[in-house]
Amino acid sequence: MLSTRYEDGSAITATDLREQLRTLLVAGHETTATALVWALYRLHREPAVLERLLGELSSAGTDPDPAELMKLPYLDAVCQETLRLHPPVPIVLRRLTGDFTLRGAPLAAGDTMGISVHLLHTDPAVWPEPRRFRPERFLERRYGPFEFAPFGGGHRRCVGAALADYELRIVLATVLTSVRLRLAPRFAHGPTPLSVPHTITVGPRTAITFDVQP
């Protein structure tokens, strides 16, 4: 990578490369892993949803091509619903390039303002029964970028969004078709764990555990 060149012939510096790799590691690993845990948690709390998804995965064959898995509508809906309820990055921040008034509050160029992704994703005016895990909502309609934004928005939208979508679906499908899991009793019947900050992301306060079934 250090030997590659930009269009003007210049090279990336070792410092810039290090920072890019650090971003890839932190923003592209922990976020997807956290979303995967939440997806498994939600699915094993909703047997009907899990059964429907397993049926769809079974119809795809014993060794489906990853590209075919990406076309499965209910798998996509489950992943989208997981990201709606549990966005790994809880707030999208932007630095203003000009003066702006936000709900009556004057802001100046250089100020930072943000959007709470969780509040956006649980607005009852957009999401009926907003606290309920119901993937079917993503089969019933498409949501715009001002309603559903797990990867931020605008020209600063997460550059890894496509990869994150791909790996979440492939890994979730692989886990569900490879092993049978059961939530530990405290998670199967207790309240949903709180999300707390972990570096730049948020995740469950305590590790969510599963038992592997024979």
Side-chain angles (χ1 to χ4, degrees):
M1 294 181 72
L2 287 171
S3 66
T4 59
R5 295 293 181 268
Y6 293 111
E7 292 180 357
D8 63 0
S10 62
I12 188 172
T13 67
T15 299
D16 286 343
L17 177 57
R18 183 192 66 220
E19 294 305 313
Q20 292 292 341
L21 292 175
R22 179 182 295 174
T23 299
L24 179 64
L25 177 64
V26 176
H29 171 71
E30 186 174 355
T31 49
T32 303
T34 300
L36 175 65
V37 169
W38 281 124
L40 292 170
Y41 169 83
R42 289 288 183 173
L43 285 167
H44 287 84
R45 295 260 296 199
E46 300 286 345
V49 176
L50 177 59
E51 182 179 359
R52 179 172 177 177
L53 178 57
L54 289 175
E56 183 182 70
L57 294 175
S58 177
S59 69
T62 57
D63 188 24
D65 185 276
E68 294 303 311
L69 289 176
M70 291 298 294
K71 299 177 183 178
L72 297 179
Y74 201 63
L75 175 62
D76 178 76
V78 166
C79 292
Q80 298 278 56
E81 181 73 338
T82 299
L83 291 174
R84 181 186 73 83
L85 284 172
H86 304 285
V89 178
I91 189 169
V92 176
L93 298 175
R94 294 292 183 265
R95 181 173 295 160
L96 297 176
T97 59
D99 295 344
F100 187 80
T101 300
L102 176 65
R103 299 181 68 87
L107 300 171
D111 287 347
T112 299
M113 69 178 190
I115 296 173
S116 168
V117 180
H118 180 72
L119 290 179
L120 178 68
H121 287 178
T122 54
D123 181 357
V126 177
W127 311 94
E129 299 181 280
R131 308 291 178 179
R132 181 183 171 193
F133 183 73
R134 197 176 74 85
E136 288 77 10
R137 69 177 85 239
F138 284 93
L139 302 177
E140 296 164 356
R141 61 161 287 194
R142 294 180 63 87
Y143 294 90
F146 298 103
E147 298 170 319
F148 182 63
F151 299 104
H155 72 283
R156 298 287 298 189
R157 184 174 184 265
C158 175
V159 296
L163 173 62
D165 275 338
Y166 190 88
E167 62 183 356
L168 177 59
R169 285 151 182 75
I170 301 306
V171 175
L172 179 60
T174 301
V175 170
L176 291 176
T177 55
S178 300
V179 296
R180 293 178 57 205
L181 300 175
R182 181 178 63 188
L183 269 173
R186 62 177 293 204
F187 297 109
H189 307 293
T192 299
L194 293 175
S195 284
V196 296
H198 296 281
T199 64
I200 65 170
T201 67
V202 294
R205 173 183 286 178
T206 58
I208 297 176
T209 56
F210 299 82
D211 296 319
V212 178
Q213 300 290 93

PDB file of all heavy atoms in Angstrom, residues 7 11-12 19 38 43 69-70 77 87 95 107-108 110 113 139 143-144 150 152 159-160 164 168 194 203 212:
ATOM      1  N   GLU A   7      -3.309   9.938  -8.219  1.00  0.00           N
ATOM      2  CA  GLU A   7      -3.290  10.344  -9.619  1.00  0.00           C
ATOM      3  C   GLU A   7      -2.216  11.385  -9.910  1.00  0.00           C
ATOM      4  O   GLU A   7      -1.695  11.463 -11.023  1.00  0.00           O
ATOM      5  CB  GLU A   7      -4.668  10.886 -10.033  1.00  0.00           C
ATOM      6  CG  GLU A   7      -5.757   9.807 -10.053  1.00  0.00           C
ATOM      7  CD  GLU A   7      -7.094  10.367 -10.469  1.00  0.00           C
ATOM      8  OE1 GLU A   7      -7.193  11.602 -10.685  1.00  0.00           O
ATOM      9  OE2 GLU A   7      -8.063   9.577 -10.580  1.00  0.00           O
ATOM     10  N   ALA A  11       2.490   9.819  -2.875  1.00  0.00           N
ATOM     11  CA  ALA A  11       2.251   8.574  -2.138  1.00  0.00           C
ATOM     12  C   ALA A  11       1.614   8.869  -0.789  1.00  0.00           C
ATOM     13  O   ALA A  11       1.757   9.975  -0.242  1.00  0.00           O
ATOM     14  CB  ALA A  11       3.578   7.837  -1.936  1.00  0.00           C
ATOM     15  N   ILE A  12       0.932   7.883  -0.258  1.00  0.00           N
ATOM     16  CA  ILE A  12       0.382   8.010   1.081  1.00  0.00           C
ATOM     17  C   ILE A  12       1.528   7.909   2.082  1.00  0.00           C
ATOM     18  O   ILE A  12       2.492   7.163   1.878  1.00  0.00           O
ATOM     19  CB  ILE A  12      -0.672   6.913   1.347  1.00  0.00           C
ATOM     20  CG1 ILE A  12      -1.405   7.163   2.675  1.00  0.00           C
ATOM     21  CG2 ILE A  12      -0.033   5.530   1.347  1.00  0.00           C
ATOM     22  CD1 ILE A  12      -2.594   6.231   2.900  1.00  0.00           C
ATOM     23  N   GLU A  19      -3.342   5.535  10.208  1.00  0.00           N
ATOM     24  CA  GLU A  19      -4.636   6.036  10.677  1.00  0.00           C
ATOM     25  C   GLU A  19      -5.786   5.403   9.905  1.00  0.00           C
ATOM     26  O   GLU A  19      -6.854   5.122  10.470  1.00  0.00           O
ATOM     27  CB  GLU A  19      -4.686   7.565  10.538  1.00  0.00           C
ATOM     28  CG  GLU A  19      -3.712   8.303  11.453  1.00  0.00           C
ATOM     29  CD  GLU A  19      -3.904   7.922  12.914  1.00  0.00           C
ATOM     30  OE1 GLU A  19      -5.075   7.903  13.368  1.00  0.00           O
ATOM     31  OE2 GLU A  19      -2.913   7.638  13.595  1.00  0.00           O
ATOM     32  N   TRP A  38     -26.481  -8.369  18.758  1.00  0.00           N
ATOM     33  CA  TRP A  38     -27.847  -7.891  18.942  1.00  0.00           C
ATOM     34  C   TRP A  38     -28.824  -8.650  18.043  1.00  0.00           C
ATOM     35  O   TRP A  38     -29.949  -8.952  18.451  1.00  0.00           O
ATOM     36  CB  TRP A  38     -27.943  -6.397  18.670  1.00  0.00           C
ATOM     37  CG  TRP A  38     -27.475  -5.517  19.768  1.00  0.00           C
ATOM     38  CD1 TRP A  38     -26.523  -4.537  19.710  1.00  0.00           C
ATOM     39  CD2 TRP A  38     -27.974  -5.467  21.119  1.00  0.00           C
ATOM     40  NE1 TRP A  38     -26.374  -3.907  20.918  1.00  0.00           N
ATOM     41  CE2 TRP A  38     -27.254  -4.453  21.805  1.00  0.00           C
ATOM     42  CE3 TRP A  38     -28.936  -6.193  21.811  1.00  0.00           C
ATOM     43  CZ2 TRP A  38     -27.485  -4.146  23.142  1.00  0.00           C
ATOM     44  CZ3 TRP A  38     -29.169  -5.891  23.151  1.00  0.00           C
ATOM     45  CH2 TRP A  38     -28.454  -4.877  23.795  1.00  0.00           C
ATOM     46  N   LEU A  43     -33.319 -12.315  17.656  1.00  0.00           N
ATOM     47  CA  LEU A  43     -33.897 -13.480  16.996  1.00  0.00           C
ATOM     48  C   LEU A  43     -34.259 -14.575  17.999  1.00  0.00           C
ATOM     49  O   LEU A  43     -35.315 -15.223  17.872  1.00  0.00           O
ATOM     50  CB  LEU A  43     -32.910 -14.039  15.966  1.00  0.00           C
ATOM     51  CG  LEU A  43     -32.769 -13.244  14.670  1.00  0.00           C
ATOM     52  CD1 LEU A  43     -31.552 -13.723  13.888  1.00  0.00           C
ATOM     53  CD2 LEU A  43     -34.034 -13.365  13.821  1.00  0.00           C
ATOM     54  N   LEU A  69     -27.126 -14.920  -0.865  1.00  0.00           N
ATOM     55  CA  LEU A  69     -27.607 -14.580   0.474  1.00  0.00           C
ATOM     56  C   LEU A  69     -27.981 -13.104   0.561  1.00  0.00           C
ATOM     57  O   LEU A  69     -28.931 -12.730   1.249  1.00  0.00           O
ATOM     58  CB  LEU A  69     -26.538 -14.914   1.518  1.00  0.00           C
ATOM     59  CG  LEU A  69     -26.275 -16.389   1.806  1.00  0.00           C
ATOM     60  CD1 LEU A  69     -25.130 -16.549   2.782  1.00  0.00           C
ATOM     61  CD2 LEU A  69     -27.533 -17.070   2.341  1.00  0.00           C
ATOM     62  N   MET A  70     -27.223 -12.266  -0.129  1.00  0.00           N
ATOM     63  CA  MET A  70     -27.493 -10.828  -0.091  1.00  0.00           C
ATOM     64  C   MET A  70     -28.843 -10.478  -0.711  1.00  0.00           C
ATOM     65  O   MET A  70     -29.362  -9.388  -0.494  1.00  0.00           O
ATOM     66  CB  MET A  70     -26.379 -10.068  -0.805  1.00  0.00           C
ATOM     67  CG  MET A  70     -25.048 -10.095  -0.080  1.00  0.00           C
ATOM     68  SD  MET A  70     -25.123  -9.314   1.551  1.00  0.00           S
ATOM     69  CE  MET A  70     -25.432  -7.606   1.096  1.00  0.00           C
ATOM     70  N   ALA A  77     -34.171  -7.752   5.983  1.00  0.00           N
ATOM     71  CA  ALA A  77     -35.070  -7.051   6.905  1.00  0.00           C
ATOM     72  C   ALA A  77     -34.649  -7.246   8.359  1.00  0.00           C
ATOM     73  O   ALA A  77     -34.709  -6.307   9.167  1.00  0.00           O
ATOM     74  CB  ALA A  77     -36.503  -7.538   6.696  1.00  0.00           C
ATOM     75  N   PRO A  87     -28.310   0.853  16.691  1.00  0.00           N
ATOM     76  CA  PRO A  87     -27.259   1.430  15.849  1.00  0.00           C
ATOM     77  C   PRO A  87     -25.938   1.453  16.610  1.00  0.00           C
ATOM     78  O   PRO A  87     -25.864   2.011  17.707  1.00  0.00           O
ATOM     79  CB  PRO A  87     -27.780   2.843  15.556  1.00  0.00           C
ATOM     80  CG  PRO A  87     -28.710   3.154  16.695  1.00  0.00           C
ATOM     81  CD  PRO A  87     -29.339   1.837  17.064  1.00  0.00           C
ATOM     82  N   ARG A  95     -19.742  19.319  11.538  1.00  0.00           N
ATOM     83  CA  ARG A  95     -19.243  20.649  11.839  1.00  0.00           C
ATOM     84  C   ARG A  95     -19.776  21.615  10.794  1.00  0.00           C
ATOM     85  O   ARG A  95     -19.638  21.388   9.589  1.00  0.00           O
ATOM     86  CB  ARG A  95     -17.709  20.661  11.849  1.00  0.00           C
ATOM     87  CG  ARG A  95     -17.112  22.034  12.195  1.00  0.00           C
ATOM     88  CD  ARG A  95     -15.613  21.939  12.366  1.00  0.00           C
ATOM     89  NE  ARG A  95     -15.299  21.097  13.516  1.00  0.00           N
ATOM     90  CZ  ARG A  95     -14.122  20.508  13.696  1.00  0.00           C
ATOM     91  NH1 ARG A  95     -13.156  20.638  12.799  1.00  0.00           N
ATOM     92  NH2 ARG A  95     -13.904  19.778  14.774  1.00  0.00           N
ATOM     93  N   LEU A 107     -26.559  28.785  15.772  1.00  0.00           N
ATOM     94  CA  LEU A 107     -25.250  28.142  15.721  1.00  0.00           C
ATOM     95  C   LEU A 107     -24.392  28.866  14.695  1.00  0.00           C
ATOM     96  O   LEU A 107     -24.897  29.379  13.691  1.00  0.00           O
ATOM     97  CB  LEU A 107     -25.384  26.662  15.336  1.00  0.00           C
ATOM     98  CG  LEU A 107     -26.222  25.799  16.287  1.00  0.00           C
ATOM     99  CD1 LEU A 107     -26.453  24.418  15.677  1.00  0.00           C
ATOM    100  CD2 LEU A 107     -25.537  25.671  17.634  1.00  0.00           C
ATOM    101  N   ALA A 108     -23.100  28.904  14.956  1.00  0.00           N
ATOM    102  CA  ALA A 108     -22.183  29.622  14.068  1.00  0.00           C
ATOM    103  C   ALA A 108     -21.316  28.634  13.304  1.00  0.00           C
ATOM    104  O   ALA A 108     -21.164  27.468  13.682  1.00  0.00           O
ATOM    105  CB  ALA A 108     -21.303  30.569  14.894  1.00  0.00           C
ATOM    106  N   GLY A 110     -18.377  26.504  12.240  1.00  0.00           N
ATOM    107  CA  GLY A 110     -17.379  25.892  13.110  1.00  0.00           C
ATOM    108  C   GLY A 110     -17.977  25.157  14.281  1.00  0.00           C
ATOM    109  O   GLY A 110     -17.296  24.324  14.902  1.00  0.00           O
ATOM    110  N   MET A 113     -22.934  20.086  15.522  1.00  0.00           N
ATOM    111  CA  MET A 113     -24.262  19.634  15.931  1.00  0.00           C
ATOM    112  C   MET A 113     -24.419  18.188  15.506  1.00  0.00           C
ATOM    113  O   MET A 113     -23.665  17.670  14.673  1.00  0.00           O
ATOM    114  CB  MET A 113     -25.372  20.498  15.316  1.00  0.00           C
ATOM    115  CG  MET A 113     -25.566  20.362  13.832  1.00  0.00           C
ATOM    116  SD  MET A 113     -26.940  21.404  13.263  1.00  0.00           S
ATOM    117  CE  MET A 113     -27.130  20.804  11.587  1.00  0.00           C
ATOM    118  N   LEU A 139     -40.110  -4.885   4.929  1.00  0.00           N
ATOM    119  CA  LEU A 139     -40.686  -5.501   3.733  1.00  0.00           C
ATOM    120  C   LEU A 139     -41.908  -4.729   3.261  1.00  0.00           C
ATOM    121  O   LEU A 139     -42.302  -4.835   2.097  1.00  0.00           O
ATOM    122  CB  LEU A 139     -41.080  -6.955   4.020  1.00  0.00           C
ATOM    123  CG  LEU A 139     -39.962  -7.889   4.499  1.00  0.00           C
ATOM    124  CD1 LEU A 139     -40.530  -9.270   4.800  1.00  0.00           C
ATOM    125  CD2 LEU A 139     -38.848  -7.980   3.474  1.00  0.00           C
ATOM    126  N   TYR A 143     -37.623   3.122   3.652  1.00  0.00           N
ATOM    127  CA  TYR A 143     -37.444   4.286   4.502  1.00  0.00           C
ATOM    128  C   TYR A 143     -36.367   5.192   3.917  1.00  0.00           C
ATOM    129  O   TYR A 143     -35.361   4.723   3.394  1.00  0.00           O
ATOM    130  CB  TYR A 143     -37.079   3.862   5.927  1.00  0.00           C
ATOM    131  CG  TYR A 143     -38.207   3.124   6.612  1.00  0.00           C
ATOM    132  CD1 TYR A 143     -38.311   1.739   6.523  1.00  0.00           C
ATOM    133  CD2 TYR A 143     -39.182   3.820   7.317  1.00  0.00           C
ATOM    134  CE1 TYR A 143     -39.357   1.058   7.135  1.00  0.00           C
ATOM    135  CE2 TYR A 143     -40.236   3.145   7.930  1.00  0.00           C
ATOM    136  CZ  TYR A 143     -40.312   1.767   7.826  1.00  0.00           C
ATOM    137  OH  TYR A 143     -41.360   1.110   8.422  1.00  0.00           O
ATOM    138  N   GLY A 144     -36.619   6.488   4.008  1.00  0.00           N
ATOM    139  CA  GLY A 144     -35.694   7.455   3.449  1.00  0.00           C
ATOM    140  C   GLY A 144     -34.513   7.726   4.361  1.00  0.00           C
ATOM    141  O   GLY A 144     -34.506   7.329   5.536  1.00  0.00           O
ATOM    142  N   PRO A 150     -28.472   4.331   9.947  1.00  0.00           N
ATOM    143  CA  PRO A 150     -27.499   3.662  10.826  1.00  0.00           C
ATOM    144  C   PRO A 150     -26.050   3.942  10.452  1.00  0.00           C
ATOM    145  O   PRO A 150     -25.154   3.738  11.272  1.00  0.00           O
ATOM    146  CB  PRO A 150     -27.837   2.182  10.644  1.00  0.00           C
ATOM    147  CG  PRO A 150     -28.446   2.096   9.287  1.00  0.00           C
ATOM    148  CD  PRO A 150     -29.221   3.373   9.130  1.00  0.00           C
ATOM    149  N   GLY A 152     -25.088   7.031   9.180  1.00  0.00           N
ATOM    150  CA  GLY A 152     -24.988   8.471   8.935  1.00  0.00           C
ATOM    151  C   GLY A 152     -25.653   8.830   7.621  1.00  0.00           C
ATOM    152  O   GLY A 152     -26.498   8.092   7.102  1.00  0.00           O
ATOM    153  N   VAL A 159     -18.097   5.190   4.769  1.00  0.00           N
ATOM    154  CA  VAL A 159     -17.584   4.601   3.531  1.00  0.00           C
ATOM    155  C   VAL A 159     -17.590   3.072   3.592  1.00  0.00           C
ATOM    156  O   VAL A 159     -17.497   2.402   2.558  1.00  0.00           O
ATOM    157  CB  VAL A 159     -16.156   5.101   3.221  1.00  0.00           C
ATOM    158  CG1 VAL A 159     -16.154   6.587   2.976  1.00  0.00           C
ATOM    159  CG2 VAL A 159     -15.187   4.732   4.348  1.00  0.00           C
ATOM    160  N   GLY A 160     -17.712   2.516   4.790  1.00  0.00           N
ATOM    161  CA  GLY A 160     -17.732   1.068   4.933  1.00  0.00           C
ATOM    162  C   GLY A 160     -19.124   0.478   5.013  1.00  0.00           C
ATOM    163  O   GLY A 160     -19.273  -0.704   5.335  1.00  0.00           O
ATOM    164  N   ALA A 164     -20.098  -3.416   5.600  1.00  0.00           N
ATOM    165  CA  ALA A 164     -20.744  -3.779   6.856  1.00  0.00           C
ATOM    166  C   ALA A 164     -22.049  -4.530   6.603  1.00  0.00           C
ATOM    167  O   ALA A 164     -22.341  -5.538   7.252  1.00  0.00           O
ATOM    168  CB  ALA A 164     -21.001  -2.533   7.696  1.00  0.00           C
ATOM    169  N   LEU A 168     -22.378  -8.484   7.783  1.00  0.00           N
ATOM    170  CA  LEU A 168     -23.383  -8.794   8.794  1.00  0.00           C
ATOM    171  C   LEU A 168     -24.328  -9.876   8.291  1.00  0.00           C
ATOM    172  O   LEU A 168     -24.632 -10.839   9.016  1.00  0.00           O
ATOM    173  CB  LEU A 168     -24.169  -7.540   9.172  1.00  0.00           C
ATOM    174  CG  LEU A 168     -25.309  -7.738  10.175  1.00  0.00           C
ATOM    175  CD1 LEU A 168     -24.794  -8.327  11.484  1.00  0.00           C
ATOM    176  CD2 LEU A 168     -26.031  -6.415  10.437  1.00  0.00           C
ATOM    177  N   LEU A 194     -28.842  -2.850  28.787  1.00  0.00           N
ATOM    178  CA  LEU A 194     -28.597  -1.467  28.413  1.00  0.00           C
ATOM    179  C   LEU A 194     -27.404  -1.381  27.472  1.00  0.00           C
ATOM    180  O   LEU A 194     -26.470  -2.176  27.545  1.00  0.00           O
ATOM    181  CB  LEU A 194     -28.324  -0.620  29.660  1.00  0.00           C
ATOM    182  CG  LEU A 194     -29.485  -0.422  30.636  1.00  0.00           C
ATOM    183  CD1 LEU A 194     -28.995   0.342  31.866  1.00  0.00           C
ATOM    184  CD2 LEU A 194     -30.647   0.312  29.974  1.00  0.00           C
ATOM    185  N   GLY A 203     -22.592  -0.688  22.917  1.00  0.00           N
ATOM    186  CA  GLY A 203     -22.932  -2.103  22.912  1.00  0.00           C
ATOM    187  C   GLY A 203     -23.506  -2.502  24.247  1.00  0.00           C
ATOM    188  O   GLY A 203     -23.589  -1.684  25.172  1.00  0.00           O
ATOM    189  N   VAL A 212     -24.647 -23.467  23.156  1.00  0.00           N
ATOM    190  CA  VAL A 212     -24.683 -24.185  21.880  1.00  0.00           C
ATOM    191  C   VAL A 212     -25.438 -25.484  22.098  1.00  0.00           C
ATOM    192  O   VAL A 212     -25.072 -26.294  22.949  1.00  0.00           O
ATOM    193  CB  VAL A 212     -23.263 -24.457  21.364  1.00  0.00           C
ATOM    194  CG1 VAL A 212     -23.321 -25.260  20.063  1.00  0.00           C
ATOM    195  CG2 VAL A 212     -22.521 -23.139  21.139  1.00  0.00           C
TER     196      VAL A 212
END
